């Protein structure tokens, strides 16, 4: 798939990747957390990046929203994905964006119309409120467009840092890190990194995971997708370590395989 959507750039050597990140910063961060052998761990992790991206290319999930960079679709899809199954969003995706192709159509629609479109996802009232707020923000403050600003993207009701960052990454080609509980769990296990209770609200965690995101938007897209899909498919509450591309560099896997 090369540098084309949906996964982005999935071909990189370990040494190319190394040039695009700040390895010393990662090592320093792990050291500051009292984690042993940080250089070794980081080197091992960097060396698995090509395998991780191969795994993504083979196994990454296929969703309709991964084929677009349209900011309205990307931003709104993140709101639809909150607290529901991705497959449920895939089921309504085409119908939703046919009905609401832009902020104006959504703002002009009655609450009941929006509610009916999203009711199958659950939390219909809250979702309707967030969606209306989002469309209003775009129209009233950004001339009908989606803002490409981390703070502004979090202004609508119940739209948080994850959705805002996903919008920057997938719509505006900004190489930022996504952090949700699945992604946090991967880093917790691979590096024996103690996560706070709400990692997606922690600047320290964004700082740490952000150091793994290369300054190359297409590669940043692929790396984030690989963490997202690995966290959803393999590194779950019942981790499938023998099938995982991070197996060789993962502290948790090493520990459990030698038990
Ligand atoms: S090896 Fe196991 S614990 Fe480590 S990242 Fe993969 S699935 Fe998670």
């Amino acid at each position: 798939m090369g540098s084309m959507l949906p996964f982005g750039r999935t071909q990189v050597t370990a040494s190319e990747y190394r040039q695009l990140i700040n390895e010393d910063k990662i090592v320093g961060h792990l050291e500051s957390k009292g984690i042993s052998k940080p250089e070794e761990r980081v080197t091992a992790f960097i060396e698995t990046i090509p395998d991780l991206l191969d795994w993504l290319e083979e196994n990454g999930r296929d969703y309709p929203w991964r084929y677009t960079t349209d900011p309205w679709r990307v931003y709104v899809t993140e709101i639809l994905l909150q607290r529901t199954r991705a497959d449920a969003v895939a089921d309504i995706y085409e119908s939703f964006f046919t009905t609401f192709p832009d902020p104006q159509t959504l703002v002009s629609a009655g609450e009941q119309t929006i509610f009916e479109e999203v009711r199958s996802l659950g939390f219909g009232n809250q979702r309707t409120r967030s969606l209306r707020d989002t469309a209003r923000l775009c129209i009233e403050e950004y001339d009908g467009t989606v803002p490409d600003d981390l703070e502004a993207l979090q202004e609508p009701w119940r739209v948080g840092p994850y959705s805002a960052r996903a919008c920057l990454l997938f719509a505006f080609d900004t190489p930022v890190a996504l952090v949700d509980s699945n992604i946090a769990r991967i880093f917790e296990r691979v590096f024996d990194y103690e996560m706070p209770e709400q990692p997606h609200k922690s600047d320290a965690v964004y700082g740490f995971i952000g150091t793994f995101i290369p300054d190359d938007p297409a590669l940043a897209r692929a790396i984030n997708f690989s963490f997202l899909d690995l966290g959803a498919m393999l590194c779950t509450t019942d981790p499938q370590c023998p099938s995982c591309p991070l197996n060789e560099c993962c502290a948790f896997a090493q520990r459990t395989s030698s038990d």
Side-chain angles (χ1 to χ4, degrees):
M1 214 162 276
S3 62
M4 304 295 289
L5 291 165
F7 295 132
R9 177 181 170 192
T10 54
Q11 299 296 317
V12 71
T13 64
S15 58
E16 284 167 341
Y17 174 70
R18 186 174 267 120
Q19 309 270 315
L20 294 166
I21 55 164
N22 185 340
E23 196 176 346
D24 291 343
K25 199 168 166 192
I26 304 175
V27 170
H29 187 91
L30 291 176
E31 247 162 15
S32 75
K33 292 279 173 187
I35 290 170
S36 66
K37 300 186 191 157
E39 283 103 351
E40 248 174 69
R41 289 175 193 254
V42 174
T43 300
F45 183 84
I46 289 172
E47 278 165 10
T48 65
I49 285 289
D51 294 341
L52 178 65
L53 296 179
D54 285 348
W55 175 86
L56 175 71
E57 190 71 46
E58 286 290 309
N59 303 285
R61 295 172 299 170
D62 187 29
Y63 290 120
W65 50 88
R66 292 188 171 185
Y67 290 85
T68 185
T69 55
D70 173 66
W72 171 247
R73 283 191 175 227
V74 171
Y75 190 27
V76 166
T77 297
E78 291 303 327
I79 295 167
L80 300 179
L81 284 166
Q82 289 170 2
R83 295 179 295 163
T84 196
R85 290 174 310 108
D87 288 345
V89 177
D91 287 344
I92 67 157
Y93 183 82
E94 278 315 324
S95 157
F96 184 93
F97 286 106
T98 302
T99 311
F100 307 120
D102 49 39
Q104 190 60 56
T105 44
L106 196 138
V107 140
S108 311
E111 254 177 61
Q112 193 58 29
T113 310
I114 305 169
F115 180 86
E116 289 303 330
E117 282 288 335
V118 300
R119 77 181 306 161
S120 62
L121 308 181
F123 304 100
N125 287 325
Q126 288 104 314
R127 222 178 287 278
T128 299
R129 182 169 165 194
S130 289
L131 289 166
R132 283 168 62 89
D133 241 27
T134 299
R136 258 193 234 116
L137 171 84
C138 297
I139 287 168
E140 290 170 9
E141 294 181 41
Y142 296 93
D143 211 13
T145 65
V146 173
D148 61 347
D149 176 82
L150 187 60
E151 297 307 318
L153 288 164
Q154 293 179 66
E155 274 178 37
W157 191 69
R158 290 213 172 158
V159 177
Y162 180 89
S163 303
R165 284 168 167 266
C167 188
L168 287 181
L169 175 70
F170 298 132
F172 295 113
D173 261 357
T174 311
V176 292
L178 301 184
V179 176
D180 66 1
S181 55
N182 287 348
I183 292 175
R185 190 167 53 234
I186 296 172
F187 282 87
E188 187 165 44
R189 288 172 171 169
V190 168
F191 292 105
D192 277 336
Y193 187 100
E194 198 178 324
M195 285 288 165
E197 218 161 88
Q198 295 198 300
H200 67 289
K201 291 189 178 165
S202 159
D203 287 344
V205 173
Y206 279 112
F208 173 53
I209 297 183
T211 53
F212 292 89
I213 303 304
D215 193 15
D216 170 326
L219 189 57
R221 178 180 170 90
I223 300 266
N224 273 291
F225 273 140
S226 70
F227 295 150
L228 268 178
D229 287 357
L230 195 79
M233 296 164 72
L234 295 181
C235 196
T236 59
T237 44
D238 176 23
Q240 307 297 310
C241 303
S243 313
C244 178
L246 299 184
N247 187 305
E248 291 289 313
C249 71
C250 176
F252 179 94
Q254 300 307 314
R255 219 173 17 252
T256 47
S257 73
S258 59
D259 279 351

